[in-house]
Amino acid sequence: MSEPFAFNLEPSSPKHSIAAILAGLNDFALERVARDVIREQRSRLEHAQALYEKLLTFEAEAPLDNETEDLRHDYRLALLMMRAHHQITSAVIDKLGRLPRLPEDETGH
């Protein structure tokens, strides 16, 4: 049976807010959240890497222009979002106490 979805978030402490959201989750629910935040973190990393590679190409081939500056902005934003999400991923894994297995990471043997 799941816990009621009601808690008090303290805006002054992001880490406490994460803990409040995770409080009361059983191991199954916490592992499910952990798998999803890990997938999201991987997606953010792939996005940032793709922007970085595109930016390198733009800077090598084209003079600095608005499109290049927009790409730099997008890359910086992707890095910020990835870093912020990393804090969430870390907090969830810490709460779970282990790194969960993801089905897509399993090999066929």
Side-chain angles (χ1 to χ4, degrees):
M1 181 175 223
S2 64
E3 294 289 319
F5 194 70
F7 45 81
N8 182 20
L9 299 180
E10 294 183 21
S12 63
S13 173
K15 196 160 193 153
H16 180 76
S17 295
I18 293 169
I21 292 167
L22 300 176
L25 292 180
N26 63 30
D27 193 55
F28 175 79
L30 191 56
E31 185 170 324
R32 183 177 175 194
V33 169
R35 285 192 308 263
D36 287 342
V37 297
I38 290 168
R39 286 182 186 110
E40 179 65 24
Q41 184 65 12
R42 289 177 179 178
S43 175
R44 289 176 184 273
L45 175 61
E46 288 172 8
H47 177 66
Q49 182 65 35
L51 287 171
Y52 175 75
E53 290 170 5
K54 189 174 180 181
L55 182 59
L56 286 179
T57 301
F58 265 64
E59 288 178 336
E61 295 176 356
L64 295 180
D65 60 6
N66 287 342
E67 193 171 1
T68 304
E69 281 305 312
D70 288 346
L71 191 53
R72 277 190 184 145
H73 168 80
D74 292 346
Y75 175 61
R76 282 187 202 106
L77 183 59
L79 288 177
L80 287 169
M81 299 307 288
M82 184 182 68
R83 181 66 182 143
H85 191 270
H86 179 78
Q87 299 301 314
I88 296 167
T89 305
S90 178
V92 171
I93 291 170
D94 285 349
K95 174 76 174 170
L96 182 61
R98 61 188 165 77
L99 190 60
R101 287 182 155 171
L102 276 68
E104 57 268 29
D105 291 344
E106 297 295 317
T107 59
H109 16 63

